[in-house]
Amino acid sequence: MKGKRILLGITGGIAAYKIAFLIRLIKKKEAEVRCIMTPASCDFISPLTIATLSENPVLIDFWNQKDGTWSNHVELGAWADVFLIAPLTANTMAKLVHGQSDNLLTATYLSATCPVMIAPAMDLDMYAHPATLRNIAQLESDHVHVIPAEFGELASGLVGKGRMAEPEHIVDHLIHFFKQDSLFEGTTVLITAGPTYEKLDPVRFIGNHSSGKMGFNIADQFLKQGAQVILVTGPTKETLHHPNLKRFDVESAQEMLELVQKYWKQCQIGVFSAAVSDYRPAEKADQKIKKSDDELILRLIKNPDILAWAGENKSKDQVLMGFALETNRAEEHAKGKLKKKNLDFIVVNTLEDQGAGFGVDTNRIKIIDKNNNLTSFELKSKREVAQDIVQYLNESI
Ligand code: C5P
């Protein structure tokens, strides 16, 4: 569980007091915990206890009344490797089934793109009620992982099935869940991302509109599958934090090449998504170039092809994937690059496709392998495209 990001939702049942122990156990496994509490759960355990143990601020409202900051429920669900709701009351369970979003926790559930796990807790008759059974079945068919309630003493004084699973058992479920989620454990992946900036003078450069989103999403998905990731990125606003991530920020193609040359040998997989500038200014002025004549002619020289270098220096156990962003005859051009740069796979996208390309959050890709087999994917978010790429590589190598 080391480095896993667990978003813990706490609802208002007596079992909430056990969440302090649960957080302790999760933290011992070196996972990160961020907590969302429903207002009702604060009657059962103090947010201060939860914040202290989780070592993160607790989120309760959509916005903080003191400083006006807003809790971004979409970002929370995207951050997490799993959203665990424990304890889950019958009331919140019913809200999840119907897609209500009347508090931060239920809104986060609706927008979460990560897997969701629930640990229901209620009295035995509530747990056995046909409405609850229906709700659990519905959540299961919505792909929610259910950690069944356990048998024992209940707050009502009755004895039966309805107690929240013991914290140790919840941790066992998490461990099992993450085991299935480690397709690339023991694998080191080298990823290039973002644009390159080629300096003209101290204040100007030649660059492009690449945002780095695709490469960062691919890095994130490999990390989620247990890989060690070396990410070499050009200038970007993207952020990513994980103990298995080594990030290097560069500006120029030459700097990117030097890092790739340093790390490629120790990696088993290379995914080169950077939009590297093909040319750079032949001369870099030491001082700002002054405006003088009506015309200024720049002489450009060719940049090294980083991907081609990795292809030339690829051992038979290494797998290399490149990207081809094309504006016309996409497949034909991509197949040419696959061969010329000695790649195993090439991801093709074309600016002819709406919603694909630089800056936008979506992409539509095709993957071609070295035997010219082509797999097409639908237009999806870059996050889902990254999931597809990682899944495809897992199945193909
Ligand atoms: O030939 P083209 O630039 O279209 O190839 C795109 C692929 O090559 C991408 O995977 C890109 O990251 C990589 N590339 C590179 N170094 C360059 C140019 C492109 O690594 N100088």
Side-chain angles (χ1 to χ4, degrees):
M1 277 172 61
K2 188 172 170 191
K4 294 291 181 195
R5 295 174 288 204
I6 297 167
L7 183 62
L8 182 55
I10 306 167
T11 74
I14 184 69
Y17 83 91
K18 291 190 188 172
I19 296 309
F21 301 102
L22 177 64
I23 296 172
R24 268 263 155 87
L25 292 173
I26 294 173
K27 295 288 290 185
K28 257 196 200 142
K29 301 272 178 210
E30 296 179 69
E32 259 186 87
V33 188
R34 288 168 79 178
C35 296
I36 304 177
M37 297 178 71
T38 60
S41 71
C42 302
D43 293 335
F44 294 90
I45 186 157
S46 119
L48 181 61
T49 308
I50 299 295
T52 309
L53 293 173
S54 66
E55 296 175 86
N56 269 314
V58 168
L59 304 162
I60 301 167
D61 297 311
F62 284 104
W63 62 288
N64 184 330
Q65 304 206 351
K66 282 196 195 114
D67 60 10
T69 50
W70 179 62
S71 299
N72 184 339
H73 54 91
V74 176
E75 185 268 326
L76 285 170
W79 168 84
D81 292 311
V82 67
F83 182 20
L84 165 67
I85 310 177
L88 176 64
T89 57
N91 180 43
T92 299
M93 181 189 285
K95 289 185 195 174
L96 301 187
V97 168
H98 291 284
Q100 272 181 252
S101 56
D102 60 342
N103 61 41
L104 186 64
L105 188 148
T106 49
T108 304
Y109 170 76
L110 265 193
S111 55
T113 47
C114 62
V116 180
M117 227 179 226
I118 56 167
M122 59 199 79
D123 211 50
L124 77 165
D125 294 316
M126 293 170 85
Y127 196 62
H129 196 282
T132 303
L133 299 178
R134 263 198 316 273
N135 287 344
I136 290 180
Q138 182 59 50
L139 289 175
E140 274 178 327
S141 86
D142 293 343
H143 307 293
V144 170
H145 303 251
V146 179
I147 306 175
E150 295 178 0
F151 186 92
E153 270 178 41
L154 299 159
S156 59
L158 297 171
V159 175
K161 199 169 174 194
R163 277 165 70 102
M164 185 184 78
E166 288 302 325
E168 290 82 358
H169 300 166
I170 295 179
V171 170
D172 289 343
H173 275 271
L174 286 170
I175 291 171
H176 178 72
F177 171 78
F178 286 127
K179 248 196 203 138
Q180 302 167 326
D181 218 22
S182 48
L183 299 175
F184 285 100
E185 206 169 316
T187 304
T188 307
V189 186
L190 178 62
I191 297 173
T192 69
T196 62
Y197 285 1
E198 310 295 335
K199 278 199 171 88
L200 278 164
D201 68 17
V203 292
R204 303 185 183 93
F205 60 83
I206 294 176
N208 60 65
H209 291 299
S210 169
S211 60
K213 281 191 173 114
M214 200 59 248
F216 273 69
N217 273 291
I218 294 168
D220 194 27
Q221 292 305 322
F222 270 114
L223 290 164
K224 286 200 159 96
Q225 294 297 341
Q228 303 281 330
V229 173
I230 299 173
L231 176 62
V232 184
T233 178
T236 177
K237 290 193 194 114
E238 295 297 304
T239 54
L240 191 58
H241 301 281
H242 196 285
N244 294 345
L245 173 71
K246 253 196 207 138
R247 169 177 172 167
F248 297 97
D249 286 85
V250 297
E251 282 208 344
S252 66
Q254 190 57 41
E255 289 163 1
M256 191 174 270
L257 174 71
E258 281 163 23
L259 283 160
V260 166
Q261 288 178 327
K262 183 164 175 197
Y263 289 105
W264 177 222
K265 213 173 169 190
Q266 72 186 64
C267 299
Q268 291 77 49
I269 299 176
V271 180
F272 286 38
S273 65
V276 183
S277 179
D278 290 328
Y279 293 90
R280 67 176 182 275
E283 291 93 28
K284 197 191 115 216
D286 290 334
Q287 306 299 331
K288 189 177 166 195
I289 301 170
K290 292 282 175 231
K291 193 170 12 178
S292 53
D293 300 335
D294 285 346
E295 202 177 54
L296 173 70
I297 296 175
L298 291 175
R299 198 165 65 86
L300 302 178
I301 51 172
K302 213 162 192 182
N303 257 336
D305 191 316
I306 305 168
L307 179 61
W309 179 88
E312 272 164 36
N313 292 277
K314 178 164 75 94
S315 75
K316 64 175 180 11
D317 300 323
Q318 286 177 307
V319 170
L320 188 58
M321 176 180 251
F323 275 66
L325 175 66
E326 305 293 342
T327 52
N328 68 323
R329 308 218 314 264
E331 283 170 35
E332 187 187 323
H333 286 137
K335 280 178 188 167
K337 286 176 190 174
L338 180 89
K339 200 152 178 236
K340 192 165 153 223
K341 302 193 191 195
N342 192 26
L343 311 181
D344 299 286
F345 305 100
I346 194 151
V347 178
V348 198
N349 52 359
T350 155
L351 289 184
E352 289 166 316
D353 274 337
Q354 283 230 327
F358 285 153
V360 290
D361 282 325
T362 50
N363 204 354
R364 176 186 231 141
I365 60 156
K366 291 176 182 156
I367 302 180
I368 304 176
D369 70 12
K370 57 184 171 196
N371 301 318
N372 280 345
N373 297 311
L374 184 142
T375 312
S376 298
F377 298 84
E378 297 292 306
L379 180 73
K380 294 181 181 184
S381 70
K382 285 190 173 163
R383 183 185 160 78
E384 289 168 311
V385 171
Q387 273 169 353
D388 284 342
I389 289 172
V390 171
Q391 198 65 40
Y392 174 95
L393 284 172
N394 177 52
E395 284 161 16
S396 316
I397 57 182

